[in-house]
Amino acid sequence: MRIDIITVLPELLRSPFEASILKRAIEANLVEVHFHNLRDYTSDNYKSVDDYQFGGGAGMVMMIEPIDKCISKLQAERNYDEIIYMTPDGETLNQSIANEMSLKKNIIILCGHYKGVDQRVRDMFITREISIGDYVLSGGELGAAVLCDAIIRLVPGVLGNETSALTDSFQDNLLAPPIYTRPRDYQGHKVPEILLSGNFPEIEKWREEQALKRTEERRPDLLED
Ligand code: ADE
């Protein structure tokens, strides 16, 4: 899988890809992530990427030309399955979107800044608009990092234990059950007996019950459909 991220702040994006699972995935050539600085696609001496809004109003708008140049250059090199714009008015990211995106071959992620991009960028190039939640960030970069993390850990081969993504919270619309490790007794707080029993069918049943209980208590909305 290849991910191309278009941004005015590449430095804000680097560190998540230089640590842990994302770093390993990149080093193992399971994913390629490329950053494109929008200022490299500007045509004036000031390297402007934004301008005032037509019609007036506070806040700058990202101009179409540098974005067009960058996307067109990438599209001339390969086909893209999805061109995603990170924006608070997009569809809210969830596990099912992450699953779907992890199956794509090439995607572009455009990070918005200021008030956002000229509407014509969205009309002409964008195939999907994604928000990471109902709050406004100062730019799309942190959202893009969240989206990439959620996608990349699902790419086959990225997680050491192939089954572990399947038992994540949300993967079957349930939250994950409680988990424990050594010691069996910590200052009188004991690990549930069933987990020490070696009776794996019963352990599996207990985990399913606990997952359902947790979901009912914390996220009943997940059980609605
Ligand atoms: N850019 C600004 N706010 C955002 C959000 N909530 N999700 C994605 N991109 C954003």
Side-chain angles (χ1 to χ4, degrees), residues 22-79:
L22 301 194
K23 182 183 182 194
R24 259 202 291 129
I26 292 165
E27 285 176 351
N29 288 323
L30 296 167
V31 283
E32 274 180 51
V33 181
H34 300 267
F35 303 114
H36 305 277
N37 190 335
L38 209 46
R39 295 200 195 276
D40 296 340
Y41 297 85
T42 51
S43 46
D44 64 332
N45 289 340
Y46 303 102
K47 296 189 182 293
S48 322
V49 292
D50 60 324
D51 208 335
Y52 296 100
Q53 292 192 50
F54 280 125
M60 305 295 274
V61 178
M62 286 170 78
M63 294 187 291
I64 190 167
E65 195 188 345
I67 297 172
D68 180 2
K69 279 192 186 154
C70 184
I71 292 179
S72 299
K73 174 180 171 278
L74 291 171
Q75 281 180 321
E77 293 164 358
R78 67 195 64 75
N79 287 323

Side-chain angles (χ1 to χ4, degrees), residues 29-222:
N29 288 323
L30 296 167
V31 283
E32 274 180 51
V33 181
H34 300 267
F35 303 114
H36 305 277
N37 190 335
L38 209 46
R39 295 200 195 276
D40 296 340
Y41 297 85
T42 51
S43 46
D44 64 332
N45 289 340
Y46 303 102
K47 296 189 182 293
S48 322
V49 292
D50 60 324
D51 208 335
Y52 296 100
Q53 292 192 50
F54 280 125
M60 305 295 274
V61 178
M62 286 170 78
M63 294 187 291
I64 190 167
E65 195 188 345
I67 297 172
D68 180 2
K69 279 192 186 154
C70 184
I71 292 179
S72 299
K73 174 180 171 278
L74 291 171
Q75 281 180 321
E77 293 164 358
R78 67 195 64 75
N79 287 323
Y80 284 91
D81 303 303
E82 212 77 75
I83 304 182
I84 299 167
Y85 175 47
M86 300 308 300
T87 176
D89 59 4
E91 58 183 321
T92 310
L93 179 62
N94 58 29
Q95 194 62 35
S96 119
I97 297 174
N99 288 344
E100 202 186 315
M101 292 299 140
S102 72
L103 302 173
K104 308 281 183 193
K105 192 156 176 285
N106 301 313
I107 63 176
I108 292 174
I109 303 176
L110 171 64
C111 304
H113 255 273
Y114 319 107
K115 276 276 159 200
V117 297
D118 187 308
Q119 179 58 38
R120 291 167 294 183
V121 170
R122 300 167 78 158
D123 298 341
M124 291 170 62
F125 300 109
I126 300 301
T127 60
R128 196 145 191 177
E129 304 193 329
I130 295 179
S131 162
I132 62 159
D134 289 343
Y135 40 83
V136 178
L137 302 167
S138 51
E141 284 74 14
L142 297 178
V146 167
L147 175 62
C148 287
D149 187 297
I151 293 174
I152 290 172
R153 61 191 294 286
L154 297 172
V155 170
V158 169
L159 291 188
N161 176 355
E162 279 299 350
T163 61
S164 85
L166 298 176
T167 56
D168 286 340
S169 280
F170 302 114
Q171 211 47 276
D172 43 13
N173 261 356
L174 289 177
L175 300 183
I179 51 173
Y180 298 86
T181 185
R182 289 187 303 165
R184 290 171 174 225
D185 184 333
Y186 187 67
Q187 300 176 350
H189 296 268
K190 295 193 177 64
V191 172
E193 208 55 50
I194 178 75
L195 297 178
L196 310 173
S197 69
N199 184 339
F200 294 105
E202 282 301 314
I203 290 173
E204 198 42 46
K205 204 171 128 217
W206 180 86
R207 287 184 169 150
E208 282 167 18
E209 286 163 7
Q210 292 294 316
L212 187 60
K213 179 164 171 271
R214 212 166 240 207
T215 312
E216 280 166 351
E217 284 166 6
R218 300 180 180 202
R219 292 295 306 276
D221 58 297
L222 293 176

